Amino acid sequence: MPMPAFEEYEPEGDCVCRGCAQRRRSLARARAIPLRDGGHPAARGARRALVLATAAGVVLGGGGGTAVALSAPATGPVALDDPGSPQGGRTPLHGPKGKPGNPGAPGRPGAVKRIDRTTIINRAKLWLDAQVPYSMSEYWTDGYRQDCSGYVSMAWNLGSNEWTGSLDKFATKITKDELLPGDMLLFHNPADPTNGSHVVLFGGWVDQTRNHYVAYEQTRPTTRKLATPYGYWANAAKYVPYRFNGVTGGIVPQVPGAVPAPAPVPEPPAGPKPGDPARTFPGADKFAPGATNDHVAQLGRMLVERGAYRFYPNGVADRTWSDHDKRATQAFQRAQGWTGTDADGVPGAHTWRLLVDKQGKNIPPTVGAAPGPGGVRAYPGAAVFRPGQSHPAVEALGRQLVKKGFGKYYTAGPGARWSEADRRSVEAFQRAQGWRGAAANGYPGPETWRRLFA
């Protein structure tokens, strides 16, 4: 099955880093050389060789103090007037004109500030929530460069913007089995740093096979979080796992012959934060027939997060208690193994606590069975829609996409095995909803599922 490939981008034409500026000047010099001898083929060949040699001199010499351009006749190397490092070189916070700052480490590998894994992931989510645009020359409001290495520098709370050629100095090489949330997977191409070099944050394994993991990364068009084949879509074998030297906690003891289990990253509760009055059970009278209040809407949102989408074909914004709320509450109560009056569909203090604290069991899916109220089938979970997975829900999804007019990518399907045709069809449907960026990545979430089957 074809896999989506990571696009290896050339730096933008106006990139201000030294390597890119140097490359533009060198190519401009080469283009300015006049073609003599009336356009003789030999002269054209010499000029072409000069252009290629000049560009190669910039790329290969970019990592040192002086890049060398070749010309003929030549009496020795000609130094360019602004030597520097290749793309994404180390810079202080807020760019070359900024100040080093000290949110964490002062930009020195030997002086790192301690940080726990939960904080690393939560910092990564800040850019994910803000959908920070990708750029190799722009700096976000926190001072970090908006490219892949700037993103990792930000998540690790470094005091400078590092690049793919220096991040490993702040970390220790580990094995695949040792990976934990907050570690990084790094590919640095020293021969041509702008071609394929990339780094992502490891967010945890998708399943027990450890063939896919959650990657937090800064890429075009914006920050994204995506289930990714190990080590990456392209150049997979060249991605090396590293652990930040300043990380605390979450080290799993190595047991001979055993595969260490990754330490989970705690997620925030699916409701009000600790200390919020909304965490307190408001009383059964708030969920009586005809009752209208904010607690009803809050209950609906929490139930949907636990698998109750099929009970709300028109969304959960309604503040008035209805049969939809009662059926969804009852389904959640039965998922806990409760029966009789304990599963009467009216939330009590115990039901409310489980929902607010994101505890207990989720409402099981019913894909393959009869649809729920409103004709909406239950969302089966994100793990079903991943490369190599087979599930009846994949075929049901494909048929619904075709029915809705989004089936042009299917040449012989849809089928029960997740494919690139499924992903592209879902992406087209998501874009038709007006979604962009990570919200239209081709992988169906609960809202995509609800809109397809509503």
Side-chain angles (χ1 to χ4, degrees):
M1 182 194 69
M3 290 284 189
F6 173 76
E7 297 183 50
E8 296 171 352
Y9 296 96
E10 287 292 329
E12 299 178 12
D14 60 351
C15 179
V16 299
C17 74
R18 291 182 175 180
C20 295
Q22 180 174 300
R23 179 175 182 270
R24 287 195 296 271
R25 283 195 300 272
S26 299
L27 292 177
R29 287 195 188 99
R31 286 193 294 269
I33 297 175
L35 183 62
R36 299 185 177 88
D37 298 332
H40 190 277
R44 286 197 299 272
R47 181 174 183 273
R48 185 180 301 111
L50 175 59
V51 171
L52 294 176
T54 303
V58 172
V59 173
L60 296 178
T66 303
V68 177
L70 303 180
S71 60
T75 57
V78 180
L80 299 179
D81 57 4
D82 187 18
S85 60
Q87 61 88 17
R90 298 181 68 236
T91 60
L93 296 182
H94 302 286
K97 296 181 180 180
K99 297 180 180 180
N102 189 23
R108 300 196 311 275
V112 295
K113 184 177 181 180
R114 308 300 284 175
I115 186 172
D116 61 82
R117 297 183 181 281
T118 301
T119 300
I120 292 175
I121 296 300
N122 284 340
R123 288 177 65 86
K125 289 179 179 178
L126 293 175
W127 279 26
L128 185 67
D129 293 341
Q131 287 294 278
V132 176
Y134 178 89
S135 174
M136 291 176 60
S137 59
E138 298 295 325
Y139 294 79
W140 195 236
T141 55
D142 53 17
Y144 291 97
R145 189 176 55 246
Q146 296 166 212
D147 61 5
C148 61
S149 50
Y151 183 50
V152 174
S153 299
M154 180 276 297
W156 283 358
N157 200 22
L158 301 181
S160 57
N161 284 288
E162 300 301 320
W163 71 301
T164 54
S166 64
L167 278 170
D168 62 322
K169 307 301 188 298
F170 293 80
T172 301
K173 190 181 297 185
I174 58 175
T175 66
K176 174 183 177 181
D177 288 339
E178 292 174 314
L179 276 166
L180 295 172
D183 296 335
M184 74 172 175
L185 287 163
L186 174 70
F187 167 45
H188 178 65
N189 181 6
D192 187 358
T194 66
N195 184 17
S197 295
H198 191 49
V199 60
V200 303
L201 280 172
F202 179 83
W205 295 107
V206 171
D207 52 39
Q208 293 298 319
T209 64
R210 300 195 176 192
N211 292 324
H212 291 77
Y213 65 99
V214 175
Y216 290 85
E217 60 180 320
Q218 183 67 4
T219 185
R220 295 183 189 270
T222 60
T223 316
R224 76 179 182 185
K225 170 188 175 184
L226 188 65
T228 304
Y230 189 86
Y232 198 73
W233 303 103
N235 298 311
K238 297 181 180 179
Y239 278 76
V240 180
Y242 286 88
R243 174 161 297 151
F244 178 46
N245 291 334
V247 74
T248 62
I251 305 300
V252 181
Q254 297 297 304
V255 179
V259 177
V265 176
E267 295 284 349
K273 297 180 179 179
D276 191 322
R279 290 179 60 83
T280 304
F281 178 59
D285 61 308
K286 301 296 184 182
F287 309 104
T292 301
N293 55 77
D294 291 336
H295 300 291
V296 175
Q298 180 187 345
L299 174 73
R301 290 192 296 269
M302 293 190 296
L303 285 167
V304 163
E305 291 178 354
R306 305 304 294 273
Y309 259 103
R310 68 180 183 270
F311 298 102
Y312 295 97
N314 297 318
V316 294
D318 198 342
R319 299 171 62 250
T320 301
W321 177 259
S322 69
D323 190 55
H324 298 300
D325 299 298
K326 183 174 182 178
R327 288 174 178 268
T329 302
Q330 187 176 49
F332 178 75
Q333 291 168 333
R334 287 177 175 173
Q336 314 314 309
W338 305 345
T339 58
T341 57
D342 292 331
D344 59 2
V346 178
H350 192 186
T351 300
W352 188 263
R353 181 178 61 79
L354 291 178
L355 288 169
V356 168
D357 291 338
K358 202 175 182 179
Q359 296 178 350
K361 298 180 179 179
N362 290 340
I363 298 172
T366 59
V367 172
V376 182
R377 297 178 180 272
Y379 177 63
V384 169
F385 308 107
R386 292 293 179 262
Q389 295 296 313
S390 294
H391 194 280
V394 176
E395 185 170 1
L397 171 83
R399 294 189 182 282
Q400 196 68 6
L401 285 164
V402 172
K403 182 179 178 180
K404 295 276 188 178
F406 297 90
K408 71 176 183 179
Y409 296 107
Y410 292 109
T411 58
R417 186 178 181 84
W418 178 258
S419 68
E420 178 64 7
D422 295 304
R423 193 198 67 78
R424 295 182 70 184
S425 299
V426 171
E427 181 182 14
F429 176 78
Q430 291 169 331
R431 289 186 174 276
Q433 312 308 303
W435 304 340
R436 296 294 183 267
N441 61 10
Y443 293 92
E447 180 62 17
T448 298
W449 186 263
R450 186 187 71 80
R451 294 194 182 196
L452 269 173
F453 286 93

